[in-house]
Amino acid sequence: MLVSQPPRLEHLYATVGAKGKVVTTDFSFNKEYQTKYELNFAKMMQTNTESKKSRTVRRTGGEAVAVVKKAVWEWWSDEDEWEPFQEVDAQLLEKAYLAAETPFSTKKLSWNEGYDSLYIFDFTVMTQVNCDSKTSRKIQRTAAGGSKLFGHKDGEDDGYAGAVGFLSDKIGDSKVMFAGKFEPSLPAAVVTAQKKLGAQSLRKQKKDYGPIVSKDEHGRKCFDEMLQNEKEFCGEWVVFYHSYSSAALLYEVQAAVASVLFRFKAEFASLPRLLCAPFHHIPTAKRMLEEFPTWKDQDHNQAFRLVGLCGTSSLLAHDSEAPAKSVFLAGYSVGPLKGVLEKLLTSCGVPSAKIKKLAADIIALAVKSGLDCSGIPGGKKCKSGRSGHMLQIFLRRELCDEYVYPSFPFGVPDKKRMKPSLSKYLTEDVKIEGQVRITLNPDVFLRATTARMFTFPADPTFHKNRPDFQDKLKSLLEPILGTEAVRVKAAKGIFGGDPPDWWSSEDQSDMAKMSKGRYASSSLD
């Protein structure tokens, strides 16, 4: 393919030189996909880093234009704001970034003299990890003057948090929710074949946790446990992974509420979606795909954020946007979540006079338990600096195509993995990879018979304390869920209308309790 150079390519050429290499997503044909392309100006070759397909390029039309505003490198500080790197460090990072060297490992940093710690920078998800202290920080690359070149955008989990307040006065027909009983229908031959193929993430894939997780004892243990879960569930279930950070406290509160009202197994997992009103309009992935073409902002659209979850179909594949082994420690979001906990409590029917104190008590408990709450006013950063969490989501194979679709970045449908279906793709003996979008309908994801979820905090302290934290969190919720009258009010807020006939106003938390061995088994028989 012979083309004349657009200004952006000319800028890259002027920046790295005639013998340089650079990786970019900045092509007009690539806006929907955000695939990374390597440009090798010494060989004048353009290579798709995912498909590995290469094309010839040509530069015509005179001398290179002057380099525009130089890149500025910044790190997310303990004061929850972006701070610039020292010039010498920024130059080192820029050189590695333009050479597409990721992960990039170095000890040669201005603040590291006398310590000799190894730092790993992952430019795919823009994180920095100290391999000695295990501290993880987010970084970003901006242009002088503040316009962002590459770095953390608002994550989809804090996007959900920001949209929660939209639901506080919404109502709908709750009768369309929670209909029918699931009946397993998977042929025994399919189950046998899938068990023989084994863990979804290990099919045609080496057990490689990447340089950051491999160097971390807690990270390795979490990944080992997730793969063990995959081995147990691979017959009847498909698995997906969702990375989050900023919205962790909201997910935890929703799990505790769901434990009391709906027998949700909160001791094993947080709950990303609880409020039902938006699912009246978009209950399934099929319905989401019908709506998607109308969303100019794609999966940043509020309608998506209220019902949808971004995920990947492998723990180990190096997918293009948020690979699990790259984002586990630091998570994938940055941003303050002012007032969202209060809005969530309002949506759950908490009396306005009790919201402020209850929110403060919840935040204090979370901080004491080691949960990173740096994005929430009144909260604090956890000592390890690890704000990441991984949610492992198992879904019955029969329900996969109803609630999940394969996607490229920004939720653009991946039609190749849709032929004939995502569920069929996930049964094949191939290297499983690629992003997905999940319609996390409470109808399915609150039920242990249809979905099973496990939370893995990157911070080892909170990982250890989480079961006790959930018990204490339910005790804090006693004033708003301790009587039948307030439970009915909370259920109305959650359902967006009168609760369905099947719902019981009794406290369900004792009945929600289940042994880890039984919950971690693929069958509840």
Side-chain angles (χ1 to χ4, degrees), residues 158-168 302-303 305-306 340 343:
D158 52 13
Y160 164 71
V164 163
F166 167 78
L167 294 174
S168 59
Q302 182 171 257
R305 285 174 159 175
L306 289 170
V340 294
K343 292 175 182 177

Side-chain angles (χ1 to χ4, degrees), residues 301-316:
N301 187 276
Q302 182 171 257
F304 171 83
R305 285 174 159 175
L306 289 170
V307 302
L309 214 60
C310 299
T312 61
S313 50
S314 172
L315 180 65
L316 303 179

Side-chain angles (χ1 to χ4, degrees), residues 292-305 410-411:
F292 188 83
T294 69
W295 298 339
K296 293 182 179 180
D297 45 358
Q298 300 176 315
D299 66 4
H300 285 258
N301 187 276
Q302 182 171 257
F304 171 83
R305 285 174 159 175
F410 303 106

Side-chain angles (χ1 to χ4, degrees), residues 375-450:
I376 297 178
K380 294 181 180 179
K381 184 183 291 293
C382 62
K383 290 183 179 179
S384 70
R386 299 174 173 202
S387 59
H389 300 255
M390 191 65 66
L391 184 66
Q392 185 181 39
I393 304 170
F394 289 97
L395 179 65
R396 289 286 309 195
R397 291 186 181 275
E398 300 95 316
L399 300 173
C400 175
D401 296 324
E402 187 76 6
Y403 296 98
V404 186
Y405 77 85
S407 76
F408 294 112
F410 303 106
V412 176
D414 180 354
K415 296 181 180 180
K416 182 178 180 180
R417 283 186 291 149
M418 286 183 180
K419 294 180 180 179
S421 67
L422 176 61
S423 60
K424 177 64 169 59
Y425 168 73
L426 295 176
T427 65
E428 296 174 357
D429 187 17
V430 298
K431 180 181 178 180
I432 301 298
E433 56 189 354
Q435 297 182 45
V436 295
R437 296 299 182 266
I438 305 168
T439 310
L440 207 89
N441 191 322
D443 185 10
V444 171
F445 291 90
L446 284 175
R447 304 185 190 188
T449 53
T450 53

